[in-house]
Amino acid sequence: MSTTQAGMTQTGTATSLLRFATAGSVDDGKSTLVGRLLHDSKSVLADQLEAVEHASRRRGQEAPDLALLTDGLRAEREQGITIDVAYRYFATARRRFILADTPGHVQYTRNMVTGASTAELAVVLVDARNGVVEQTRRHAAVAALLRVPHVVLAVNKMDLVGYAEPVFAAIAEEFTAYAASLGVKDVVAVPISALAGDNVVEPSAAMDWYGGPTLLEHLETVPVGTDPSAEPARFPVQYVIRPQSEEFHDYRGYAGQLASGVLRVGDAVTVLPSGHTTTVAAIDALGESTELAWAPQSVTVRLADDIDISRGDLIAAGPLPVPTKDVRATVCHLNERPLHVGAKVLLKHTTRTVRALVKEISYRIDIDSLEQRSGAEGLSVNDIGHVVLRTAEPLALDDYTDNRRTGSFILIDPSDGTTLTAGMAGEAFDTVSTNGAPDAPEEEDWV
Amino acid sequence: MTVTTQRLFRAEDTPFALSHLDALEAESVHIFREVAGEFERPVILFSGGKDSIVMLHLALKAFAPAPVPFALLHVDTGHNFPEVLAYRDRAVAKHNLRLHVAAVQDYIDRGVLRERPDGLRNPLQTVPLLDGIESNKFDAVFGGGRRDEEKARAKERVFSLRDEFGAWDPRRQRPELWSLYNGRHAVGEHVRVFPLSNWTELDVWQYIEREGIELPEIYYAHHREVFKRDGMWLTAGEWGGPKENEPVETRLVRYRTVGDMSCTGAVDSDADTIEAVITEIAASRLTERGATRADDKMSEAAMEDRKREGYF
């Protein structure tokens, strides 16, 4: 196969799609790593590379600085703004990739929560010279909180520690144990040098002691998605399709995207929150009739009985969530305006937006120590905490642990529409140490 | 070193496989339906270019067998390729759509806009676009922009809030998590929506092939009278070319992007079928912009400049 622009086979063979996020600061070499992935997978084209070479020369660097491929934040800093996530695209013969590239340091938690929310894999970067540091633990905690199924520890700058196996092994062991304690089920560690290109795309000649995949090989082969047949069907209704034409006089279809599971014609389903039951009469896959559909397909479902269903309802099968107006959730606060008890907000869950009241902020979670700090008066930007909300109408929420799509929501400021908070129904981690220590005063380590 | 996952799942090996095109299509359809469910008066920006044609195709599929519940808005620079205008009118008639046209020429005739010395009309499009949005009270405006097109666009949201002046305020951009799009806006504001955010140029072409979508013929190789300006092959036409020192020749070319005639260049190509186009793009060493916007080619400061000017 000849190498092509996107590395894709020339016939454009069908490939799967992997969404992943990178976590790490500039100091860890994240920009260089991302640049290396794009460059070595032949996703950087001649005119882009030419621009990087120009810019590098102007800065007095001899070799093209691959970090410049993703560098776009200086002007943002000049203007005092933060654009949270930049998305990058590349492909190999086996897979298409969507990379959520989150900047480090400033607004770190918020940015990584955003990037990780859609990711199926997170690459956590550490500097081999420093090993697992506070920020590394924070990255692991956010990946665990957002239930990112796969985590890769990229131990970078191996060239600066003489490509020494013991250095890598110690870091990998420490990190893997920590991630496992947070409930992360799949951790793979790869020793790399983003600068020299070791084990990013090409296997390293300097580390013959390492027998595992390169970072890209792992990205190409890691399982994508979950098994729809092992999950209960969840189908949030987005829109009711009623052509009201002569040909489709009685057509009434419920349009949506399967959040999880499989739906088959003939399946018994329940409509929530009303609780009405019926069966699936037909499934239209974007204009064509089909017998079954699975997550994350967008389809239109027709039901056997004439039930009053509209946008915001959930068509579900399998173990059902109990609709509730009392929502307990772990949240990450995203906005500069703090979230206080008593705040009246809007809550958007799947396709349903309802009014909600912040009844209680149960505790704040110290993302570094994972301790619960009770007595928090409010949540500030980047804070992670646990809240109790009361909604005006019942919601069919799954636990976020079981379903990232039907277990998540956002809080919105009704006055101007600002997205305030990201919410995940249920408890945060599999293991959380508790203590009753009062909340610490303002911390400065976010800036 | 590895904590093995409890239930290893390889979508590729099960009956529940989704190709990358399936996944992108499902996401885009979800976006169209969210807008239909949450906005009063959405509109699709339709130029007759391949991205807007793919958008329309996705919208048709999203609401089948009902008609698309949106109108189309074409910002007409007056420098159109005739093949593209003909395509637009065929599409409107075939799918029984409503078409709004905001014409730069009208604004020039009324004295609101003045023709630029260089004859370019791309920069003049903003006023008719915003007027068209305001006068029709459109609250959601679908655009065909893709994040792979440019560094600045890599940070654009799927739902992008615009104020009363149509401006993009970076401070008010909302974090977008999961697939929970926030379309809240005040009266007079609108939201730009980009259903193709996560598509690349190659995805678009592969999808066009898979779905058998018809395109304006100028996307495929054909003989054309062109002349060279700023390193680009431009088509002779009423819009102002060629000048005396710009000899016209007939070449085998195709268009990789389609926009205003005065600033969209053709590329030398013998790709006269969709398969040949995909092969050509997959092997190309230049980006879409690099290949067809030769004037844009990196000056010393282009990269820094783009960063400074661009949050759109």
Side-chain angles (χ1 to χ4, degrees):
Chain A
M1 187 197 64
S2 63
T3 311
T4 60
Q5 172 194 326
M8 208 170 270
T9 50
Q10 298 218 338
T11 48
T13 319
T15 51
S16 54
L17 184 68
L18 178 73
R19 295 169 202 256
F20 74 106
T22 52
S25 70
V26 181
D27 308 335
D28 299 327
K30 184 173 67 70
S31 297
T32 309
L33 173 65
V34 173
R36 174 65 64 188
L37 271 176
L38 298 176
H39 177 264
D40 287 8
S41 63
K42 310 281 191 290
S43 306
V44 181
L45 302 188
D47 47 334
Q48 296 169 310
L49 197 59
E50 198 181 307
V52 166
E53 282 163 359
H54 263 286
S56 303
R57 269 201 302 278
R58 255 182 343 107
R59 297 178 182 201
Q61 293 162 294
E62 275 176 32
D65 182 355
L66 295 180
L68 292 178
L69 280 171
T70 62
D71 176 29
L73 294 171
R74 203 187 54 160
E76 288 161 23
R77 271 193 229 112
E78 281 169 2
Q79 297 188 22
I81 53 165
T82 310
I83 307 280
D84 52 7
V85 184
Y87 292 90
R88 320 279 174 199
Y89 302 86
F90 66 100
T92 66
R94 304 166 85 161
R95 239 173 217 179
R96 261 273 279 119
F97 298 96
I98 300 177
L99 162 57
D101 187 11
T102 58
H105 296 319
V106 185
Q107 308 296 1
Y108 190 75
T109 306
R110 177 180 82 175
N111 298 339
M112 192 182 162
V113 165
T114 302
S117 69
T118 52
E120 295 190 67
L121 180 145
V123 178
V124 176
L125 210 61
V126 301
D127 184 328
R129 295 170 301 177
N130 304 329
V132 175
V133 296
E134 184 177 292
Q135 188 167 258
T136 318
R137 280 190 284 273
R138 192 180 299 169
H139 297 162
V142 172
L145 179 70
L146 271 291
R147 303 282 166 184
V148 179
H150 310 279
V151 172
V152 176
L153 177 74
V155 181
N156 192 23
K157 306 194 184 181
M158 286 300 293
D159 50 324
L160 300 183
V161 296
Y163 297 108
E165 181 182 17
V167 175
F168 168 72
I171 296 170
E173 192 178 342
E174 183 183 352
F175 181 85
T176 305
Y178 187 70
S181 78
L182 296 169
V184 178
K185 295 193 174 73
D186 179 41
V187 180
V188 170
V190 185
I192 67 167
S193 167
L195 198 62
D198 294 284
N199 285 337
V200 177
V201 172
E202 302 295 332
S204 169
M207 290 181 277
D208 52 9
W209 46 264
Y210 173 73
T214 67
L215 179 60
L216 185 65
E217 279 167 3
H218 182 63
L219 294 174
E220 283 185 310
T221 53
V222 71
V224 173
T226 50
D227 181 358
S229 65
E231 298 170 339
R234 298 286 187 264
F235 186 76
V237 175
Q238 288 187 274
Y239 190 76
V240 182
I241 293 179
R242 297 189 64 190
Q244 293 171 311
S245 60
E246 256 176 54
E247 192 186 347
F248 298 99
H249 189 68
D250 294 321
Y251 189 100
R252 187 180 175 88
Y254 303 103
Q257 183 175 20
L258 270 141
S260 66
V262 181
L263 273 183
R264 288 182 177 78
V265 173
D267 277 358
V269 292
T270 303
V271 181
L272 294 172
S274 73
H276 290 300
T277 56
T278 180
T279 54
V280 175
I283 302 172
D284 298 319
L286 306 182
E288 282 175 33
S289 184
T290 183
E291 282 298 305
L292 86 166
W294 62 92
Q297 287 183 323
S298 283
V299 295
T300 303
V301 171
R302 285 181 278 157
L303 300 176
D305 298 289
D306 196 7
I307 303 172
D308 182 24
I309 298 175
S310 56
R311 175 175 168 83
D313 287 337
L314 180 74
I315 296 173
L320 299 174
V322 180
T324 178
K325 290 180 174 180
D326 295 298
V327 178
R328 292 169 183 279
T330 306
V331 298
C332 175
H333 192 60
L334 308 169
N335 198 264
E336 308 295 337
R337 284 173 238 164
L339 187 73
H340 290 294
V341 172
K344 286 177 180 164
V345 295
L346 294 170
L347 184 157
K348 183 170 185 183
H349 167 244
T350 65
T351 57
R352 191 178 190 87
T353 304
V354 300
R355 284 179 295 128
L357 173 71
V358 180
K359 286 194 72 180
E360 183 185 317
I361 294 175
S362 322
Y363 51 84
R364 202 175 67 85
I365 296 171
D366 182 323
I367 195 71
D368 298 322
S369 66
L370 300 182
E371 285 173 352
Q372 298 174 0
R373 304 275 173 83
S374 55
E377 282 183 14
L379 294 176
S380 304
V381 63
N382 290 311
D383 275 354
I384 289 170
H386 192 268
V387 301
V388 179
L389 307 166
R390 175 78 178 174
T391 59
E393 292 166 60
L395 295 177
L397 277 160
D398 281 303
D399 200 288
Y400 185 76
T401 313
D402 299 328
N403 198 317
R404 294 173 82 192
R405 203 143 172 172
T406 54
S408 55
F409 60 85
I410 53 173
L411 299 183
I412 298 168
D413 187 330
S415 70
D416 64 357
T418 300
T419 299
L420 297 171
T421 310
M424 292 150 280
E427 299 294 328
F429 298 101
D430 289 352
T431 55
V432 164
S433 61
T434 41
N435 77 8
D439 203 17
E442 283 299 295
E443 291 179 31
E444 291 168 17
D445 60 337
W446 295 113
V447 227
Chain B
M1 216 54 61
T2 303
V3 181
T4 310
T5 170
Q6 286 171 343
R7 36 172 193 175
L8 270 181
F9 176 71
R10 220 168 272 277
E12 292 92 329
D13 303 338
T14 79
F16 304 114
L18 279 193
S19 72
H20 70 290
L21 292 180
D22 291 330
L24 292 170
E25 179 187 61
E27 177 182 78
S28 299
V29 166
H30 172 81
I31 292 164
F32 273 109
R33 289 164 166 181
E34 280 302 282
V35 170
E38 293 205 339
F39 290 83
E40 298 290 324
R41 289 180 62 81
V43 70
I44 299 175
L45 290 179
F46 190 82
S47 66
K50 67 180 188 316
D51 298 316
S52 64
I53 289 169
V54 166
M55 271 206 297
L56 176 60
H57 183 83
L58 287 162
L60 287 162
K61 291 186 82 168
F63 301 100
V68 175
F70 317 125
L72 303 185
L73 174 62
H74 180 214
V75 181
D76 180 357
T77 63
H79 293 160
N80 300 294
F81 292 97
E83 298 90 338
V84 177
L85 270 195
Y87 181 97
R88 179 196 77 182
D89 294 338
R90 279 203 308 278
V92 166
K94 182 177 173 187
H95 303 297
N96 200 17
L97 301 162
R98 262 175 312 128
L99 172 72
H100 300 267
V101 178
V104 171
Q105 188 64 50
D106 289 350
Y107 287 76
I108 293 173
D109 293 347
R110 294 198 334 249
V112 180
L113 289 175
R114 195 175 302 172
E115 195 89 69
R116 291 159 51 100
D118 60 9
L120 291 183
R121 286 187 172 179
N122 255 14
L124 303 182
Q125 292 183 96
T126 312
V127 173
L129 168 64
L130 293 178
D131 267 7
I133 291 170
E134 196 180 321
S135 60
N136 289 289
K137 296 190 164 51
F138 293 129
D139 53 1
V141 181
F142 290 103
R146 308 188 319 262
R147 288 180 182 141
D148 81 318
E149 283 179 86
E150 230 200 337
K151 266 170 63 155
R153 285 209 38 89
K155 298 180 177 187
E156 182 64 282
R157 303 291 196 273
V158 174
F159 275 38
S160 181
L161 185 67
R162 304 297 159 113
D163 67 15
E164 303 93 309
F165 305 100
W168 188 78
D169 179 358
R171 288 167 208 274
R172 289 187 64 201
Q173 291 309 295
R174 299 158 174 168
E176 249 167 19
L177 298 105
W178 298 289
S179 49
L180 293 170
Y181 303 108
N182 178 356
R184 305 279 300 183
H185 60 281
V187 176
E189 296 179 336
H190 72 275
V191 177
R192 297 278 172 92
V193 180
F194 301 103
L196 304 182
S197 284
N198 285 326
W199 296 55
T200 64
E201 184 191 13
L202 194 55
D203 296 330
V204 167
W205 280 104
Q206 288 176 334
Y207 188 71
I208 288 166
E209 179 187 37
R210 187 183 89 169
E211 301 285 301
I213 299 170
E214 188 207 336
L215 292 183
E217 46 273 48
I218 65 172
Y219 276 110
Y220 301 104
H222 58 287
H223 289 280
R224 174 174 288 264
E225 288 196 339
V226 292
F227 65 93
K228 198 158 210 168
R229 179 179 296 173
D230 299 328
M232 288 189 295
W233 291 114
L234 297 181
T235 298
E238 285 174 18
W239 58 267
K243 291 173 194 158
E244 270 179 32
N245 59 347
E246 295 172 327
V248 173
E249 57 183 294
T250 301
R251 298 185 72 90
L252 185 60
V253 296
R254 67 175 205 90
Y255 282 87
R256 198 167 155 186
T257 62
V258 165
D260 186 289
M261 251 177 140
S262 61
C263 65
T264 310
V267 292
D268 287 317
S269 170
D270 59 1
D272 55 0
T273 63
I274 180 78
E275 296 81 8
V277 167
I278 288 175
T279 304
E280 182 187 286
I281 289 169
S284 171
R285 298 301 303 148
L286 291 177
T287 61
E288 222 170 44
R289 287 190 145 254
T292 60
R293 296 281 307 272
D295 58 329
D296 198 29
K297 256 193 167 174
M298 304 303 165
S299 69
E300 187 74 2
M303 207 163 168
E304 296 288 333
D305 288 349
R306 198 177 291 174
K307 267 190 282 186
R308 228 165 303 163
E309 73 192 27
Y311 296 109
F312 61 93

